[in-house]
Amino acid sequence: MLRNMFRWGRNKGITQCTCEPEWQGLYTEIDGQRQLALPRDEMATIVGYLDLTAHCAGCGAEYPKPWGLASK
């Protein structure tokens, strides 16, 4: 049920990744610092709670699928 509280897309246009191959690396920014992000089967709760977005490290496109923070 909790995972259904958060929805992807937020009604804005999704930009496709222009890298070859696509989505070579993902990052998010927390407090002005880049953090490594990784694709996941379902969105991490903290990502939805903080309303974070992940971006392609190559072209900067917003990642439209579930993801989470990489462990340190």
Side-chain angles (χ1 to χ4, degrees):
M1 183 68 129
L2 181 60
R3 68 181 175 199
N4 292 329
M5 287 175 54
F6 307 106
R7 288 290 178 204
W8 291 98
R10 294 184 282 278
N11 294 326
K12 56 184 173 178
I14 300 294
T15 304
Q16 293 296 317
C17 178
T18 58
C19 298
E20 285 292 328
E22 289 185 322
W23 311 112
Q24 295 180 34
L26 298 176
Y27 75 92
T28 190
E29 288 194 20
I30 301 174
D31 294 330
Q33 300 290 320
R34 278 192 175 195
Q35 302 291 323
L36 181 62
L38 298 171
R40 295 180 68 162
D41 291 335
E42 58 184 50
M43 184 174 66
T45 303
I46 190 74
V47 170
Y49 180 75
L50 296 176
D51 197 29
L52 298 173
T53 55
H55 298 272
C56 175
C59 67
E62 185 175 333
Y63 189 66
K65 297 178 183 175
W67 62 277
L69 295 171
S71 59
K72 292 186 176 189

